[in-house]
């Protein structure tokens, strides 16, 4: 899941970036409202972790502005201001969730997966297609009850395809989902990941639509 983290504490920002990457996310990190605004205009994110107290303004003001511009990206507020009035103000401004500091990283990851799942209209935490089952919470994959070991990027590609069965996702969208700002992208990286997925999952799961992109099957059986 490609996410944006907006936090001005450098130690916490580094910890969030490393921890959420280990949990299967692809995080970009900024420390101000201005940088967050620029990032949100330049890239598509599946969720945002947003601190309220930032050096150049309020995260709530940034949130409200994004909602006025009809940006529906799920946003989780992360802040030391955890009074009931603060939570109400954040939620009324358009936040999808609110987590006070200090917090547990596993809970933050679970909340991010939950708001992303709600945003995509899914009720179940797991994804299933023709015997393939993936669980974003544990980064586990199986086919016909046999476990399959995928890399983080292979898992992300498979998750994106299985969230929209029948939809074709182009190479640029897959690249943006699996690589952050600081990571170089080789020209054939997506093709290599797709090749590895097919080798591990077996035939008939990941399909190529020549000149457009990749998909899994048609309508969900």
């Amino acid at each position: 899941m490609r996410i944006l983290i907006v936090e001005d504490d450098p130690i916490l920002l580094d910890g969030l970036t490393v921890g959420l990457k280990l949990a299967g996310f692809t995080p970009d990190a900024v420390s101000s409202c201005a940088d967050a605004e620029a990032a949100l205009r330049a890239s598509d994110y599946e969720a945002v972790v947003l601190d309220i107290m930032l050096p150049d303004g309020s995260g709530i003001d940034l949130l409200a502005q994004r909602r006025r511009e009809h940006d529906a990206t799920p946003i989780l507020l992360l802040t030391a201001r955890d009074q009931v009035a603060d939570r109400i103000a954040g939620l009324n401004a358009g936040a999808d969730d609110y987590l006070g500091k200090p917090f547990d990283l596993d809970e933050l990851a679970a909340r991010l997966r939950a708001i992303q799942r709600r945003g995509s209209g899914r009720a179940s935490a797991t994804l299933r297609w023709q015997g393939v089952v993936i669980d974003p919470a544990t980064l586990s994959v199986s086919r016909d009850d046999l476990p399959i070991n995928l890399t983080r990027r292979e898992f992300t590609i498979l998750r994106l395809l299985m969230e929209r069965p029948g939809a074709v996702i182009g190479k640029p969208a897959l690249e943006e989902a699996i690589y952050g700002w600081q990571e170089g992208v080789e020209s054939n990286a997506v093709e290599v990941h797709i090749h590895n997925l097919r080798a591990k999952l077996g035939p008939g799961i990941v399909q190529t639509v020549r000149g457009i992109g990749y998909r899994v099957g048609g309508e969900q059986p």
Side-chain angles (χ1 to χ4, degrees):
M1 182 193 302
R2 181 83 180 274
I3 65 169
L4 179 67
I5 306 170
V6 189
E7 168 60 57
D8 68 328
D9 182 329
I11 296 177
L12 180 55
L13 183 61
D14 183 66
L16 285 170
T17 303
V18 173
L20 290 174
K21 190 171 184 178
L22 290 173
F25 296 85
T26 301
D28 290 332
V30 298
S31 56
S32 68
C33 288
D35 288 345
E37 184 73 27
L40 288 166
R41 293 189 184 281
S43 301
D44 291 326
Y45 294 97
E46 293 184 74
V48 179
V49 177
L50 178 61
D51 189 18
I52 286 182
M53 301 178 67
L54 294 165
D56 59 343
S58 165
I60 290 184
D61 290 341
L62 173 61
L63 164 65
Q65 177 63 33
R66 300 308 301 172
R67 295 304 187 235
R68 284 195 295 271
E69 295 180 9
H70 307 291
D71 180 356
T73 305
I75 295 178
L76 183 149
L77 292 177
L78 184 66
T79 179
R81 294 169 56 178
D82 194 30
Q83 299 299 313
V84 172
D86 296 321
R87 296 198 297 273
I88 291 173
L91 293 169
N92 283 341
D96 296 87
D97 204 349
Y98 196 114
L99 189 59
K101 302 175 183 176
F103 59 91
D104 182 89
L105 186 62
D106 289 339
E107 180 181 1
L108 173 60
R111 287 175 179 266
L112 285 171
R113 287 189 293 268
I115 63 174
Q116 187 274 338
R117 185 169 65 246
R118 291 196 299 270
S120 63
R122 289 191 294 112
S124 175
T126 59
L127 294 162
R128 300 171 183 270
W129 176 259
Q130 294 182 357
V132 177
V133 180
I134 70 174
D135 184 348
T138 60
L139 302 180
S140 62
V141 181
S142 65
R143 184 174 188 185
D144 299 329
D145 298 323
L146 296 176
I148 298 171
N149 184 32
L150 299 184
T151 67
R152 179 174 61 88
R153 287 170 179 158
E154 291 165 359
F155 184 94
T156 298
I157 289 174
L158 182 61
R159 178 184 64 81
L160 288 171
L161 295 174
M162 288 182 60
E163 282 180 342
R164 300 167 60 193
V168 180
I169 300 180
K171 178 179 175 180
L174 294 177
E175 286 179 339
E176 183 163 329
I178 62 178
Y179 291 100
W181 290 337
Q182 305 303 318
E183 300 174 297
V185 184
E186 296 182 5
S187 60
N188 66 337
V190 168
E191 288 86 350
V192 170
H193 293 312
I194 293 292
H195 172 80
N196 292 338
L197 276 173
R198 287 173 173 153
K200 294 176 180 181
L201 295 172
I205 301 299
V206 179
Q207 303 173 1
T208 298
V209 180
R210 191 171 299 277
I212 302 178
Y214 305 93
R215 68 181 180 187
V216 292
E219 294 185 359
Q220 187 85 290

